[in-house]
């Protein structure tokens, strides 16, 4: 009796298989194992289902974002009942019935096979598998594609096809039942591929159907696809169709799939606890697990190739083996490549999902942290930060500062000197200590968002490499061992030595990488400051000097790039040499020591394995490097995330009730112990409280303390825990319409809105704009005058429903008439009734009658003073023009229907079509033609050596077939002995080729570094020059974020992989050509097939390219708003937090991130579409090429050589199209940089004035001057004619918007007259060299620009004056504040009050002592007493200069010799201040 237990079946299976099956060319054991593959898959599937039923599964193995059948995305309210069909979890559909029917047929075929006359139990496991499949299907009744069933059926198909191929084609019962099983399995697979991946009962009205025209209002088709559409990425076809016809626009692209939308991701991510890394791993754990499995599958698929090649060559060499045996291995290779092809598509999708999710999660996390983070000024940083925060003049004063070299020799010398010095760091690692952790600066926050986030997210995209690279290394060594045995140990030694060396090199590289990132932070900081202050720098003529400082920082960055590049090249060449010497050492031991012949079936599979080993060895150090870089990046992010947050409002209960109260409270700036407010006891009741005091007394600090922005050091407080209407001293406006700025986060109420406009005196201003309050104000309100910006910011605070208003000196920028209107209608009107209003101002006289109390801040302490005896201005201490009945025009925009264009900020341009050849040429020229030529030669030599190595192995293997003293053939190898006689010449030749290839590889890497250096330096310098000398209109219409995006992100691409892409394209082109030559030299049939294959690749690629270019450009454009939002937030963070608008801004960044990420997502989905088609075509092409080789009758050695060349041809054709596409995409960044190289430039002027021009006795003459801001606007100044006497003090008067600033800026030739002329000292300034003009005239704006560094650097950035002169001026202006030349100033002067910044600006003007000095509200934020003292100093120090003053307070112009009054851009009056028309200046109030 036969035992039929499972154990017995397992033993008897192979034997019975051999008895029952037809003769085959697979071993009995192999055939049996292949036949039970479906059974093994079924067992694994049952185990997985059991795991799913486990009561606890780690969170990281669960889907992080999952669509709910009753979620809001389907229109269901929480807790609502579902429709009847949605409740039914099981359905009876035709697909399900067909599936069960076919599965039953499959079971019957297996039972029939068991009952055949030849008793055979082999089909029993497959029959049980069919039974399990039927049972699972009947139990689950799936509505979506059953992946488990698909895996089982794929096992059936693969096993049966392999068994059918390798046996004779006869109509035996076994073959018939196998054929039936294959047909049934194919039909079932087809049914599964047609089934949806999403429950069809769920609502899908908001999902765009596949193959329909894309709709930006609906979600991506990814949310509702069939399995085949997902596997083939066919759902992208509709987008490709649109992109092939025209340039894609934002409305042509779908919304992101639900599981990619950042609103959901951010909410779920913020609920996770732990470090950033832990949260990311939990959020993306399921994707990483899937990628792990796919990575293992792809690794085994990759290494199956050499094994199958060996079997194929053995079958060809065996004359007794039928050709079908070789075809079997060719079919196996095809199946393996198809599996790898599909796995690659899945890998790309899941890796991109984890990458995009992690990147979006970190961006929104950083933004949220920025919203809550405590604002710590740079003055609070440790001393270790000071060297990197030096001001713009530091390089001039420090003789040790690295200057840009003058020649290539100097660069090479210094680079290799640094390269050598780094060895010391390995020997004495303690000599370089890690810098003390410091609060993040603006530049670092930008760098975190733009670089570090990408560095960390990239590791999720490349997660498979973490598994695949070590696994590939192990598999390659194992397979080599199996192929040649113990001799491979000799090769492994080379690997161990190389990796040991790389440990030391990687340590050096890591240290330099940290230093490079710090330098990049510093450069970004300088660039950010430069771009933000570019107007002011050009007014002073300082832009060239600042630009030089940036270039020095850039030079330092590039030097470190070279050093890190050299160390990376050292790592690469060590691995390359090791991989080249691996076969040399292994073949030496195999032939010389073991005495084995190196035949074709050993050499060429070994060659493939060595190539894979080479790839693995290259990837190991790269993997280590990128993981170390990611570790640095995540450490920087973690440091930022643990920085202290702003404390919530602190409320201490007191017996007496008060809205706001301070009781003996003291405060310091965050991060310091310097008290700015001491022992303050103050109550702020309902009504208007006026805060006054001298400059830097602590007025703004008091508001900051009340907002909770300062750190409390004792005392008790009652602070607002609700919305506060805050108006900052420097108005912060967003790049949107006036109405949106006023509404901010409040809903629109028509009546209240109109009341606010009237109270803030904005009605007349809005009448001048074509679109009224819907007019766009530009970035930071560039389209408005200073007074208009202040009133819009005030209106925002007043319009809010906040019960508390903090107004920081909004009156300083207003003329007297407007200020009176604002005080009476706004501060004293019904809009502030029942509200607590705290107003900081120096114009107390205006507010005396409406104030409930006046508080004076002095030396950090507060005192309530009698408002009737408070320091004030006299009624006549204000200058104003007469009331006007007509609308006034803006200072820089004409008052007509076209005053403000519909979009003040121009849309970012996108080039249509492919990247033009001129763009490539610009980059090639920047990298120097001679170096490109040398690189091409090096690449060609590298390819020639590689082909030579392959041909050498072919000759070596074939030489064993003719064991004679010498090889008798007319070739280079005529003089070599037979390997059986003398192996050393062959080993020496192989060794020489390996060393030569490594040497050429190192030379190519070094040349690439040189090209990147030259291209990066030249393009960045040219861009900075063009940006620095662009027209001022460019700064008006270009957002800061957009410009920063091009100067950081796009320049980063230029510095990054773009040269590597160029190198790869060149090398692949050389490989493609050489492969064609090799193939054509063997047989023309290969050549014809190769050309047909190339045509197929090109046609697919041309369909892909237009859409990919459009998506890439849309991605780059959508990145600018992301940068702008970060920049805007950093500037207005206090305002945002005061209004409790954090959630609104977080929502905005989520929308912007969605917009950016969707372009990136669909771009890479398109890459998956291309990859699937390319990989499948490559697999079939290689299979057909193999068949051609089998049926053309060439020798095994030549067949192997041609197959290697053919494989290289297919891979290079495939890779060339992909690399060229990637190069086109990356060159979009170069294209955007090149656009900056063609900016319209400001005319430099043709006349170089005399050295002493303008002289102190030269008049200023306006002769019928008409100035138009832009061609489409009406004139800002019309027919202006007057003469300003030399050495006079001139008061420039007029209401806000009358053209005062336009006239002042015209003296700097910012706007050239379209008619008339402006003469200074008898020279027409429109023809004068603008740099000379601006460097000899001083223009001081209301908001002076200050730079990070010492006071000395801010007073005299160009180091033109002696320290004694600087110190003398500083003592006259700022003696009260104990300033010294070494006093540190933060970027923008953020550690100074607005009044102190103006004092520094005035000191700068006094130090320059220009012949012409223009003061535009330069004392508006200074208290009256200090302002009078400053005016006296100015009169004394600038008594020889011609001083033009724009001011609204009399003390600023009361001693003027001359006055000019403007009205609507026209001259209303002018003349001596106390002469014939003198009454016009002082009698303005009477009018």
């Amino acid at each position: 009796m036969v035992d039929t237990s499972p154990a017995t079946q397992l033993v008897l299976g192979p034997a019975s298989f051999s008895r029952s099956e037809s003769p085959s060319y697979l071993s009995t054991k192999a055939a049996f194992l292949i036949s039970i593959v479906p059974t093994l898959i079924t067992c694994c599937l049952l185990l997985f289902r059991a795991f799913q039923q486990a009561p606890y599964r780690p969170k990281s193995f669960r889907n992080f974002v999952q669509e709910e059948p009753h979620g809001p995305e389907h229109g269901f309210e929480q807790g609502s009942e579902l429709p009847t069909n949605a409740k039914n979890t099981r359905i009876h559909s035709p697909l399900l019935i067909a599936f069960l029917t076919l599965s039953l047929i499959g079971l019957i075929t297996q039972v029939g096979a068991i009952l055949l006359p030849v008793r055979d139990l082999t089909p029993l496991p497959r029959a049980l598998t069919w039974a399990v499949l039927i049972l699972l299907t009947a139990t689950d009744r799936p509505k979506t594609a059953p992946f488990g069933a698909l895996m089982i059926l794929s096992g059936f198909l693969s096993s049966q096809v392999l068994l059918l191929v390798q046996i004779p084609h006869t109509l035996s019962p076994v073959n018939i039942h196998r054929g039936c099983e294959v047909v049934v399995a194919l039909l079932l697979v087809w049914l599964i591929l047609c089934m949806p991946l999403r429950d069809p009962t769920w609502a899908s009205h908001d999902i765009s159907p596949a193959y329909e025209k894309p709709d930006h209002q609906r979600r991506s088709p990814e949310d509702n696809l069939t399995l085949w559409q997902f596997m083939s990425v066919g759902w992208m076809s509709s987008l490709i169709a649109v992109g092939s016809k025209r340039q894609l626009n934002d409305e042509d692209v779908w919304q992101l799939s639900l599981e990619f939308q950042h609103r959901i991701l951010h909410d779920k991510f913020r609920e996770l606890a732990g470090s950033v890394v832990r949260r990311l791993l939990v959020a993306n754990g399921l994707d990483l697990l899937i990628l792990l499995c796919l990575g293992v599958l792809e690794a085994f698929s990759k290494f199956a190739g050499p094994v199958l090649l060996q079997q194929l060559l053995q079958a060809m060499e065996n004359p007794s083996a039928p050709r079908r045996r070789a075809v079997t291995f060719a079919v196996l290779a095809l199946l393996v490549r198809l599996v790898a092809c599909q796995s690659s598509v899945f890998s790309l999708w899941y890796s991109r999902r984890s990458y995009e999710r992690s990147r979006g999660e970190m961006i929104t996390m950083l933004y949220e942290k920025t919203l809550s983070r405590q604002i710590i000024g740079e003055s609070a940083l440790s001393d270790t930060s000071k060297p990197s925060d030096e001001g713009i003049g530091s390089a001039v004063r420090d003789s040790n500062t690295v200057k840009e070299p003058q020649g290539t020799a100097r660069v090479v010398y210094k680079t290799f000197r640094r390269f050598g010095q780094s060895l010391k760091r390995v020997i004495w690692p303690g000599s370089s200590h890690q810098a003390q952790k410091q609060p993040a600066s603006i530049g670092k926050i930008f760098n975190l968002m733009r670089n570090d986030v990408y560095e960390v997210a990239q590791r999720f995209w490349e997660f498979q490499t973490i598994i695949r690279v070590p696994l590939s290394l192990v598999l390659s060594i194992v397979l080599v061992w199996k192929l040649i045995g113990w001799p491979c140990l000799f090769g492994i030694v080379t690997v161990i030595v190389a990796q040991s060396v790389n440990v030391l090199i990687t340590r050096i590289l890591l240290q330099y990488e940290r230093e490079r990132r710090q330098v990049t932070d510093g450069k970004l900081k300088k660039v950010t400051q430069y771009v933000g202050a570019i107007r002011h720098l050009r007014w002073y003529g300082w832009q060239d000097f600042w630009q030089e400082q940036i270039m020095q920082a850039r030079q330092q960055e590039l030097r470190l790039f070279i050093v890190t590049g050299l160390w990376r090249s050292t790592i690469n060449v060590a691995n390359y040499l090791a991989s080249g010497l691996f076969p040399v050492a292994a073949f030496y031991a195999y032939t010389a020591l073991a005495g084995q012949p190196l035949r074709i079936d050993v050499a060429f599979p070994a060659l493939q394995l060595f190539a894979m080993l080479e790839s693995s060895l290259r990837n190991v150090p790269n993997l280590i490097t990128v993981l170390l870089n990611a570790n640095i990046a995540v450490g920087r992010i973690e440091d930022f995330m643990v920085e202290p947050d702003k404390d919530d409002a602190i409320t201490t209960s007191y017996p007496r009730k008060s809205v706001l109260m301070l009781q003996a409270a003291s405060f310091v700036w965050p991060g310091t112990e310097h008290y700015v407010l001491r022992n303050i006891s103050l109550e702020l009741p309902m009504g208007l409280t006026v805060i006054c005091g001298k400059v830097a007394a602590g007025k703004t600090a008091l508001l900051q303390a009340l907002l909770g922005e300062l750190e409390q050091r004792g005392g008790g407080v009652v602070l607002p825990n609700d919305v506060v209407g805050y108006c900052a001293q420097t108005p912060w406006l967003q790049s949107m319409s006036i109405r949106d700025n006023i509404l901010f986060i409040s809903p629109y109420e028509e009546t209240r809105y109109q009341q606010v406009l009237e109270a803030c005196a904005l009605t007349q201003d809005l009448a001048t704009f074509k679109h009224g309050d819907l007019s766009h104000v530009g970035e930071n309100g560039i389209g408005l005058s200073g007074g208009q910006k202040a009133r819009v910011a005030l209106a925002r605070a007043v319009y809010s429903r906040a019960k508390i208003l903090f107004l920081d000196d909004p009156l300083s920028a207003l003329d007297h008439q407007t200020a009176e209107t604002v005080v009476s209608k706004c501060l004293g009107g019904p809009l502030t009734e029942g509200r607590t209003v705290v107003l900081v101002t120096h114009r107390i006289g205006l507010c005396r009658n409406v104030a409930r109390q006046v508080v004076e801040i002095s030396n950090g302490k507060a005192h309530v003073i009698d408002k009737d005896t408070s320091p004030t201005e006299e009624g006549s201490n204000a200058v104003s023009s007469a009331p006007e009945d007509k609308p006034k025009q803006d200072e820089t925009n004409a008052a007509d229907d076209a005053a403000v264009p519909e979009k003040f900020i121009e849309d970012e341009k996108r080039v249509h079509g492919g990247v033009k050849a001129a763009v490539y040429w610009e980059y090639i020229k920047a990298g120097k033609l001679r170096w490109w030529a040398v690189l091409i030669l090096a690449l060609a030599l590298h390819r020639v050596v590689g082909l030579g190595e392959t041909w050498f192995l072919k000759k070596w293997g074939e030489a064993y077939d003719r064991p004679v003293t010498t090889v008798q053939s007319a070739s280079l190898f005529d003089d070599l002995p037979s390997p059986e006689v003398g192996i050393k010449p062959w080993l020496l030749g192989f060794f020489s080729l390996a060393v030569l290839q490594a040497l050429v590889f190192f030379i190519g890497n070094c040349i690439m570094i040189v090209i990147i250096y030259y291209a990066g330096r030249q393009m960045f310098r040219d861009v900075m020059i063009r940006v620095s000398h662009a027209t001022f209109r460019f700064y008006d219409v270009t957002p800061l974020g957009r410009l920063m995006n091009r100067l950081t992100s796009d320049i980063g691409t230029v510095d990054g992989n773009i040269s590597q892409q160029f190198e790869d394209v060149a090398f692949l082109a050389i490989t493609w050509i050489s492969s064609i030559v090799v193939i054509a030299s063997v047989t023309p049939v290969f050549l014809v097939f190769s050309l047909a294959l190339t045509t197929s690749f090109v046609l697919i690629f041309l369909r892909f390219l237009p859409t990919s270019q459009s998506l890439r450009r849309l991605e780059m454009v959508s990145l600018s708003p992301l940068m702008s939002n970060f920049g805007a937030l950093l500037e207005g963070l206090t305002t945002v937090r005061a209004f409790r608008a954090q959630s609104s801004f977080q929502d905005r960044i989520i929308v912007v991130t969605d917009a950016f990420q969707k372009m990136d997502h669909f771009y890479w989905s398109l890459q998956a579409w291309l990859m699937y088609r390319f990989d499948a075509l490559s697999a079939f092409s290689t299979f057909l090429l193999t068949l051609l080789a089998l049926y053309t009758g060439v020798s095994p050695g030549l067949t192997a050589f041609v197959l290697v060349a053919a494989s290289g041809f297919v891979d290079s054709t495939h890779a060339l199209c992909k690399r060229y596409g990637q190069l086109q995409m990356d060159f979009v960044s170069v294209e955007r940089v090149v656009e900056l190289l063609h900016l319209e430039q400001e005319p430099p002027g043709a006349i170089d004035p005399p050295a002493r021009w303008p002289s102190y006795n030269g008049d200023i003459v306006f002769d019928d001057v008409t100035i138009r801001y832009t061609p489409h606007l009406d004139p800002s100044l019309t027919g202006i004619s007057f003469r300003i006497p030399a050495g006079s003090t001139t008061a420039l008067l007029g209401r806000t918007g009358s053209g005062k600033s336009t006239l002042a800026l015209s003296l700097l030739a910012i706007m050239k007259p379209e008619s008339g002329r402006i003469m200074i000292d008898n020279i027409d300034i429109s023809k004068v060299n603008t740099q000379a003009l601006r460097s000899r005239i001083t223009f001081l704006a209301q908001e002076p620009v200050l730079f990070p560094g010492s006071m000395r650097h801010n007073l005299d950035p160009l180091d033109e004056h002696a320290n004694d002169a600087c110190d003398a001026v500083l003592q006259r202006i700022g003696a009260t504040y104990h300033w010294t030349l070494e006093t540190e100033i933060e970027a923008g002067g953020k550690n100074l009050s607005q009044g102190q910044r103006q004092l520094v600006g005035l000191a700068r003007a006094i130090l320059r002592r220009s012949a012409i000095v223009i003061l535009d509200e330069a004392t508006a934020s200074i208290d009256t007493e200090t302002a009078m003292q400053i005016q006296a100093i100015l009169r004394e120090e600038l008594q020889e200069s011609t001083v033009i003053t724009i001011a609204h307070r009399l003390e600023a112009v009361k001693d003027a010799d001359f006055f000019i009054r403007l009205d609507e851009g026209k001259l209303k009056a002018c003349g001596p201040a106390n002469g014939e028309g003198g009454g016009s200046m002082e009698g303005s109030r009477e009018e």
Side-chain angles (χ1 to χ4, degrees), residues 754-970:
Q754 294 300 329
Q755 290 174 347
V756 170
L757 293 182
E758 181 67 25
C760 295
L762 283 169
T763 306
Q764 287 185 340
D765 296 271
L766 296 180
T768 67
F769 301 150
K770 176 182 178 181
H771 301 283
D773 62 347
L774 298 180
S775 301
H776 204 285
V777 302
E779 190 167 43
N780 206 23
I782 189 62
L784 304 177
S785 69
Q788 289 168 335
K789 287 193 287 186
R791 283 177 284 142
V792 171
L794 175 64
R796 176 176 57 203
V798 174
Y799 181 81
S800 70
R801 289 293 182 178
K803 293 297 183 182
I804 301 171
L805 303 181
F806 291 162
L807 312 177
D808 196 351
D809 206 12
L811 304 179
S812 63
L814 308 183
D815 61 83
H816 187 73
Q817 176 189 339
T818 306
E820 280 186 329
T821 301
V822 170
V823 171
S824 61
K825 292 185 177 181
C826 181
L827 302 180
L831 287 170
T832 56
E833 288 182 1
R835 305 168 90 170
T836 300
V837 183
V838 181
L839 171 69
V840 172
T841 185
H842 297 300
R843 306 173 76 171
I844 305 172
L846 291 171
C847 311
R848 185 194 306 276
N849 296 330
V850 296
R852 181 167 180 177
Q853 70 175 357
V854 177
V855 177
E856 182 180 19
I857 305 294
S858 177
N859 297 323
K861 297 184 178 181
H863 310 278
V864 178
I865 60 176
D866 187 350
K867 64 179 181 178
D868 295 325
T869 61
S870 60
T872 182
E873 305 163 321
E874 297 181 3
S876 61
N877 282 8
V879 179
S880 175
S881 57
E884 299 293 340
D885 296 328
K886 300 178 181 179
K888 306 300 186 292
Q889 73 176 37
D890 182 78
E891 292 177 72
T892 57
N893 297 284
D896 69 342
D897 290 342
V900 174
E902 291 189 19
K903 288 187 178 180
F904 192 88
I905 300 296
E906 294 179 353
D907 290 334
E908 190 164 8
K909 296 178 181 178
R910 288 189 293 130
V911 179
H912 291 220
V915 178
K916 303 296 185 293
V919 176
Y920 290 102
W921 182 243
E922 288 284 351
Y923 183 78
I924 291 172
K925 285 193 302 182
K928 306 299 182 185
L929 294 178
R930 62 180 182 273
W931 292 112
W932 286 108
V934 175
L935 177 65
I936 296 299
L937 289 176
L939 295 177
L941 180 59
H942 185 274
R943 176 58 178 165
V944 169
V945 174
L947 283 174
E949 191 175 36
T950 306
W951 186 260
F952 188 85
L953 273 181
K954 170 190 173 295
K955 286 293 185 179
W956 191 349
E958 290 179 340
Y960 287 97
D961 297 330
R962 290 184 287 184
V964 293
T965 304
T966 60
V967 179
Q968 301 297 325
S969 61

Side-chain angles (χ1 to χ4, degrees), residues 252-300:
D252 295 320
V253 184
W254 306 287
Q255 294 180 10
L256 280 171
S257 169
L258 188 72
E259 55 192 4
F260 287 90
Q261 293 180 2
H262 292 87
R263 175 76 276 168
I264 303 171
L265 290 172
H266 176 68
D267 290 343
K268 286 184 171 290
F269 188 74
R270 67 199 306 268
E271 293 173 0
L272 300 177
S275 65
V276 174
V277 173
R278 183 183 183 281
R279 294 161 67 189
L280 289 172
L281 290 176
V282 171
N284 300 280
L286 181 61
D287 289 343
L288 300 182
L289 179 62
I290 294 172
L291 288 171
L292 175 64
C293 298
L294 292 173
V296 173
L297 175 63
E298 290 173 29
F300 279 99

Side-chain angles (χ1 to χ4, degrees), residues 306 402 605 711 832 1352 1368:
V402 178
E711 291 184 2
T832 56
R1352 171 69 171 82

Side-chain angles (χ1 to χ4, degrees), residues 68-86:
E68 299 294 338
H70 48 77
E73 61 271 12
H74 303 300
F76 301 126
E77 298 293 336
Q78 189 171 3
S80 63
E81 291 293 323
L82 297 178
T84 304
N85 65 334

Side-chain angles (χ1 to χ4, degrees), residues 1256 1287 1289 1368-1369 1371-1373 1402 1405-1407 1409-1410 1413 1415 1427-1443 1455 1457:
Y1256 288 103
T1289 298
V1369 171
Q1371 294 310 312
R1372 293 214 65 182
I1373 293 291
L1402 289 165
I1406 293 173
L1407 185 64
R1409 286 185 175 84
S1410 302
V1413 178
L1415 307 178
M1428 294 177 66
Q1429 296 173 359
I1430 294 300
Q1431 289 300 324
I1433 295 173
L1434 289 175
R1435 285 192 295 272
E1436 179 183 344
E1437 297 287 347
L1438 303 177
Q1439 55 184 340
E1440 296 181 352
S1441 302
T1442 302
V1443 180
D1455 292 327
D1457 308 313

Side-chain angles (χ1 to χ4, degrees), residues 1263-1332:
D1263 183 10
D1264 194 23
V1265 172
T1266 296
I1267 292 178
R1268 194 187 304 268
Y1269 187 59
T1270 56
H1272 69 278
L1273 300 181
D1274 278 355
S1276 299
L1277 296 176
T1278 306
I1280 301 294
S1281 297
F1282 58 80
R1283 176 185 293 271
I1284 297 178
S1288 65
T1289 298
T1290 299
L1292 185 54
L1293 311 176
R1295 187 187 182 275
T1296 297
S1298 61
K1300 303 185 299 296
S1301 292
T1302 301
L1303 188 148
L1305 291 174
S1306 69
L1307 291 171
L1308 297 173
I1310 303 300
M1311 292 162 284
K1312 304 288 180 68
E1314 69 173 28
S1315 64
R1317 58 180 184 168
I1318 303 174
M1319 307 285 289
I1320 295 179
D1321 198 8
N1322 299 318
I1323 296 181
D1324 187 349
I1325 65 171
S1326 64
K1327 301 176 182 178
V1328 171
N1329 182 287
T1330 54
Q1331 178 66 20

Side-chain angles (χ1 to χ4, degrees), residues 187-209:
L187 291 174
L188 286 172
V189 168
W190 177 77
L191 284 177
I192 293 175
L193 293 179
C194 294
M195 294 180 72
L197 296 175
R198 179 178 179 271
D199 194 327
T201 63
W202 293 355
S204 59
H205 60 276
D206 59 341
I207 302 175
S208 181

